[in-house]
């Protein structure tokens, strides 16, 4: 027997309808690409999204067609997402930090039909547009006054394009499993792979993001996603903030410490989200300028392991709560969050910090386990490492145009490629990527744990650990360090600092000082490249 309740499809545009109707006056504040701060509200964003949707249909865009965006977080980018999804088309965010050849490859794989691009990235698009034959029109996200001269054909200024339609439009209606958005993995191994989010997965993920123990958002909040919309589905914030009615503050191209600080304080942001490198930069800025964060209540940190020193600084110096989360493009993207609860009341401050360095518990809708290489589940004892596998309604089932049997088992457990342990309370801690874990004498050493420890040294700016060949142990850890400006810590200083904080056999065999460490387009250490750079290095005793 079926229930007798209504079928109400979970569609993205229902979110902006809700925000526009129930939280219509709530501000959407953006640092525009042209410079000034721009102010609008959810009522206007909804109206312009409807206008956008109508204008797209005038282009002949049909359901399922991919519409690319290469843009900062602004109100125009926001209305583009809702306008695109509102007719069943698919927003496809492009990461401008990728190599041009990768962007061309991705756009051709996605067969993008139109592109909405910020002024910042027009020179890049001028170089590559000819190599994307599916692309029929490029819309520059600006007004007539700022429209630059360009060598491209079929280019139009956004405000003029949008003005050709009015907002008298009804959203299209369709199955909630319809594709809504698309994002490619960063492709550190092999070609990038497309993940296609559905309306249903986006709406479910937004509902879980606003849970108090996830990002947590309400109509009393001012939410600022510093994480770009083009990184892993904007961490779901484009849907979660309007769904909760939170005021939305969008940093546009201002990604430096000063610009972020300015918005955090002037716009009284209460909750924000970004990768650890952004927060390291902000903390350095605060230190230098004696800044304060009186309105900020919590900061969501994910994308790579958050150093203990960052969690500690936010909490003890600035009285800001830290939510350390784990996720990935393949998950919409948040999968777990670390929140302290009554179970931790008895712990000392140092022990509480230990817990907060973990990536935390999966929330309702995410199932999680660890297995060995033969798919046998490993114990949840907080020590034993295993391959991290997840499943749920906002977890990828297969990649765009591809099905890979190794990653998607018949039981739908997705192998994340991460290595983790899970404790008896379900708190998960990432110990490595499966490709980066150091296999020494048949045991696994976590490169991430060693990196976190090394960056805790006050004179270390950044650290990376890779496994290098060893005749007896197969691999041993090598620590690669960038020193802070004007600081000259020695190999012995750093190893001495780490001594006693990890098992003896985990200690790096050597330290190499460098001026730079390669990163991926999403800010992660590019270990493949680092291993290549260090291929001629020999350990002292090897
Ligand atoms: P991306 O799809 O670019 O967001 O990358 C996802 C990957 O980033 C994950 O599979 C993890 O390896 C890593 N990652 C994300 N969040 C964390 C975290 N809090 N700690 C450690 N690694 C993380």
């Amino acid at each position: 027997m079926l229930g007798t309740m209504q079928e109400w499809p979970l569609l993205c545009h229902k979110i902006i309808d809700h925000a526009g109707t129930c939280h219509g006056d709530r501000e959407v504040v953006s640092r525009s690409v042209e410079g000034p701060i721009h102010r609008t509200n959810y009522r206007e964003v909804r109206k312009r999204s409807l206008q956008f949707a109508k204008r797209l249909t005038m282009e002949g865009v049909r359901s399922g067609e991919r519409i690319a965006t290469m843009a900062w977080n602004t109100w125009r980018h926001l209305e583009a997402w809702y306008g695109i999804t509102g007719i069943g088309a698919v927003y496809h965010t492009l990461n401008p930090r990728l190599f041009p050849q990768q962007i061309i490859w991705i756009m051709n794989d996605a067969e993008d039909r139109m592109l909405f691009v910020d002024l910042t990235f027009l020179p890049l698009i001028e170089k590559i547009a000819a190599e994307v034959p599916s692309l029929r029109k490029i819309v520059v996200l600006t007004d007539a006054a700022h429209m630059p001269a360009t060598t491209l054909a079929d280019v139009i200024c956004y405000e003029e394009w949008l003005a050709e339609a009015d907002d008298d439009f009804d959203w299209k209606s369709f199955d909630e499993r319809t594709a809504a958005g698309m994002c490619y993995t960063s492709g550190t191994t092999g070609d990038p792979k497309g993940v296609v989010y559905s309306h249903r997965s986006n709406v479910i993920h937004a509902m879980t993001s606003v849970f108090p123990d996830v990002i947590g958002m309400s109509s009393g909040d001012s939410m600022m996603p510093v994480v770009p919309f083009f990184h892993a589905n904007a961490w779901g914030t484009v849907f979660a903030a309007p769904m909760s009615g939170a005021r939305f503050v969008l940093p546009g191209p201002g990604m430096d410490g000063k610009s972020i600080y300015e918005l955090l304080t002037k716009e009284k942001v209460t909750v924000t989200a970004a990768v650890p490198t952004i927060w390291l930069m902000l903390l350095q800025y605060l230190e230098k300028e004696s800044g304060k964060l009186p309105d900020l209540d919590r900061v969501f940190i994910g994308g790579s392991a958050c150093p203990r020193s960052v969690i500690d600084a936010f909490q003890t110096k600035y009285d800001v709560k830290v939510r350390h989360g784990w996720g990935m493009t393949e998950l919409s993207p948040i999968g777990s969050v670390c929140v302290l609860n009554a179970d931790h009341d008895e712990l000392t401050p140092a022990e509480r910090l230990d817990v907060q360095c973990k990536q935390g518990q999966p929330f309702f809708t995410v199932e999680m386990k660890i297995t060995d290489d033969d798919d046998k589940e490993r114990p949840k004892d907080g020590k034993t490492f295993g391959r991290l596998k997840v499943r749920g309604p906002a977890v990828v089932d297969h990649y765009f145009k591809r099905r890979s049997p190794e990653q998607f088992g018949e039981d739908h457990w997705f192998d994340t490629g991460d290595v983790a342990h899970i404790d008896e309370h379900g708190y998960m801690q990432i110990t490595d990527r499966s490709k980066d874990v150091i296999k020494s004498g048949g045991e696994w050493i976590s490169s991430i744990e060693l990196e976190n420890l090394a960056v805790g040294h006050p004179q270390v700016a950044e650290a990376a650990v890779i496994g290098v060949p060893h005749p007896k142990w197969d691999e041993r850890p090598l620590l690669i360090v960038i020193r802070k400006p004007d600081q000259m810590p020695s190999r012995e200083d750093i190893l001495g600092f780490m001594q006693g904080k990890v098992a003896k056999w985990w200690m790096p065999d050597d330290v190499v000082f460098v001026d730079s460490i390669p990163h991926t387009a999403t800010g992660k250490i590019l270990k493949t490249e680092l291993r290549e750079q260090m291929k001629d290095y020999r350990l002292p005793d090897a």
Side-chain angles (χ1 to χ4, degrees), residues 186 231 303-305 324-329 359 418 430 433 522 524:
S186 29
H231 182 196
S304 54
H324 183 199
W326 166 88
M328 59 195 308
T329 305
Q359 284 73 8
D418 284 327
I430 299 282
R433 289 295 290 168
T522 49
K524 298 183 189 20

Side-chain angles (χ1 to χ4, degrees), residues 415-541:
D415 187 336
T416 61
D418 284 327
V419 175
H421 52 67
I422 302 179
D423 70 16
E424 48 280 49
H425 304 294
Y427 280 69
M428 180 273 286
Q429 183 155 24
I430 299 282
T431 53
D432 241 314
R433 289 295 290 168
S434 48
K435 312 178 290 294
D436 299 334
V437 71
I438 298 154
K439 296 191 171 157
S440 176
E443 299 287 341
W444 292 4
I445 298 175
S446 157
S447 65
I448 293 183
E449 209 164 305
L450 294 178
E451 286 160 7
N452 283 345
L453 190 55
V455 292
H457 187 289
Q459 295 172 315
V460 169
E462 193 173 2
V465 173
I466 54 169
V468 290
H470 188 281
K472 180 164 174 206
W473 304 110
D474 290 335
E475 272 186 344
R476 289 295 303 154
L478 169 68
L479 173 61
I480 297 156
V481 164
I482 304 180
R483 296 177 172 114
K484 279 195 180 159
D486 307 323
Q487 306 287 339
M488 285 305 281
S490 66
R491 171 187 188 278
E492 286 65 35
D493 291 338
I494 293 172
L495 292 179
F497 172 80
M498 296 173 74
Q499 198 91 46
K501 297 187 177 107
V502 282
K504 214 162 147 218
W505 62 276
W506 275 41
M507 284 292 288
D509 280 26
D510 200 7
V511 183
V512 170
F513 294 97
V514 294
D515 294 329
S516 69
I517 288 177
H519 287 96
T520 66
T522 49
K524 298 183 189 20
I525 296 172
L526 192 50
K527 297 255 173 115
T528 41
E529 168 103 21
L530 203 53
R531 281 193 281 264
E532 180 59 27
Q533 286 176 6
M534 290 290 160
K535 70 178 187 307
D536 296 328
Y537 169 86
R538 295 286 167 269
L539 286 168
D541 71 336

Side-chain angles (χ1 to χ4, degrees), residues 92-93 98 102 105-107 109-110 181-197 232 328-331 396-408 414-417 433 435:
H92 171 205
T93 49
L98 294 174
Q102 266 179 317
W105 190 94
I106 287 173
M107 292 185 80
D109 191 61
M182 189 175 201
C183 189
Y184 277 72
T185 60
S186 29
T188 42
T189 49
D191 286 328
K193 295 180 281 286
V195 177
V196 184
Y197 309 108
M328 59 195 308
T329 305
E330 284 91 333
L331 271 86
V396 70
D397 186 63
H398 57 273
Y399 292 113
F400 182 59
K401 296 182 177 169
R402 293 171 188 77
R403 280 183 191 263
S404 113
E406 329 70 76
Q407 243 175 336
F408 305 98
F414 168 67
D415 187 336
T416 61
R433 289 295 290 168
K435 312 178 290 294

Side-chain angles (χ1 to χ4, degrees), residues 32 38 85 89 93 125 149 155 167 177 204 209 220 223 254 266 274 282 303 321 337 361 438 483 506 513:
S32 68
H38 175 275
T85 54
T93 49
I125 297 302
V155 178
D167 60 6
R177 292 165 302 173
I204 290 177
S209 303
M223 200 288 153
K266 286 200 179 143
L282 179 78
K321 300 180 200 91
V337 190
Q361 291 176 305
I438 298 154
R483 296 177 172 114
W506 275 41
F513 294 97

